[in-house]
Amino acid sequence: MTFRRKRTAILISGRGSNMRALIERARSPSFPAEIVLVVSNLPEAAGLIFAKENNIACAVVDHKIYPGREEFERSMQVLLELHRIELICLAGFMRMLTPWFIGQWQERLLNIHPALLPAYRGVKTHERALADGVKVHGCTVHFVVPAMDEGPIIAQAAVAVRDSDTPDTLASRVLAEEHALYPAALGRVAEGRLRVEGNRVYFGEPTTVPPPLRVPPAQ
């Protein structure tokens, strides 16, 4: 059987730290996804430099030159089809996507969120978690649906919240988990051995589910 890696695009708006983690993991020829395109909606996005240095095709689709969101997305869709993209990862892409675009990529469009969804949708997740006094925080990779920060959960990673944590220190530890979790989740999706039923993702055989979440102790 011939092994074929899934052609994957990453959408960014900034420095793309999760993009870097995905690119670095996908350097291995045994990884089931190949990063072949990085697209930014901002010409000045710093992540484009890293992608170019790693010989990955880059493109800018500047949302500001389009009259509306759907016109912007239709231009981006043409580009993705031209590159024969099969999976998309959002990595700090600061644009709300329309139901039309999401519908083109149902169960092929991934996002990472800095919280343990369904808790703390939206922004300022670390500040809100600390304000609520939670003892466990983390990150989530999920399939994108039209509702913000919803959609079937693919994988999660957790960190214990320390008494001394600030939003910055907590964010730093969560980001380290993101950099490990996102490539692992993309790999599982690219392997294709999953199914989605309702809002749940199942891996492997019908009775198989991902292993339980393990939380490292606070230090």
Side-chain angles (χ1 to χ4, degrees):
M1 180 181 295
T2 302
F3 174 73
R4 190 181 68 79
R5 305 168 72 194
K6 292 291 182 63
R7 295 177 62 83
T8 303
I10 305 175
L11 306 189
I12 65 171
S13 295
R15 63 192 176 102
S17 70
N18 273 303
M19 175 206 71
R20 293 183 178 220
L22 291 166
I23 289 173
E24 289 169 357
R25 181 66 183 87
R27 285 192 177 119
S28 170
S30 64
F31 190 71
E34 179 184 10
I35 310 302
V36 298
L37 178 66
V38 171
V39 181
S40 174
N41 65 306
L42 297 175
E44 65 274 17
L48 293 171
I49 298 173
F50 181 84
K52 290 175 182 177
E53 290 173 346
N54 283 268
N55 300 313
I56 294 172
C58 295
V60 175
V61 183
D62 190 342
H63 68 277
K64 295 188 291 295
I65 70 173
Y66 294 90
R69 291 165 61 195
E70 190 164 318
E71 291 85 354
F72 158 70
E73 291 174 353
R74 286 187 181 276
S75 181
M76 193 161 56
Q77 178 70 15
V78 170
L79 179 65
L80 295 166
E81 291 175 356
L82 179 66
H83 285 266
R84 306 190 312 280
I85 299 302
E86 298 170 278
L87 295 171
I88 299 174
C89 291
L90 305 182
F93 186 67
M94 305 305 290
R95 298 290 298 171
M96 289 292 294
L97 296 168
T98 66
W100 175 83
F101 184 84
I102 293 170
Q104 308 304 305
W105 297 93
Q106 185 175 1
E107 297 174 12
R108 296 187 295 150
L109 176 59
L110 288 68
N111 182 50
I112 189 160
H113 181 71
L116 293 173
L117 294 174
Y120 304 115
R121 297 184 176 101
V123 299
K124 297 188 180 297
T125 60
H126 312 306
E127 291 89 339
R128 291 155 59 199
L130 290 174
D132 286 344
V134 302
K135 299 302 182 185
V136 177
H137 191 46
C139 52
T140 302
V141 178
H142 63 99
F143 287 119
V144 177
V145 298
M148 184 178 70
D149 296 331
E150 295 190 18
I153 292 172
I154 301 166
Q156 292 182 306
V159 299
V161 179
R162 301 169 182 168
D163 292 342
S164 60
D165 265 326
T166 66
D168 287 342
T169 61
L170 184 56
S172 178
R173 295 206 315 285
V174 170
L175 188 61
E177 294 296 332
E178 292 180 37
H179 292 167
L181 184 70
Y182 210 175
L186 172 60
R188 298 194 75 178
V189 172
E191 287 174 345
R193 293 181 296 177
L194 62 82
R195 76 184 196 282
V196 179
E197 293 183 5
N199 205 43
R200 297 189 67 179
V201 176
Y202 295 90
F203 293 91
E205 297 301 321
T207 57
T208 301
V209 297
L213 192 67
R214 299 181 64 182
V215 183
Q219 295 180 357

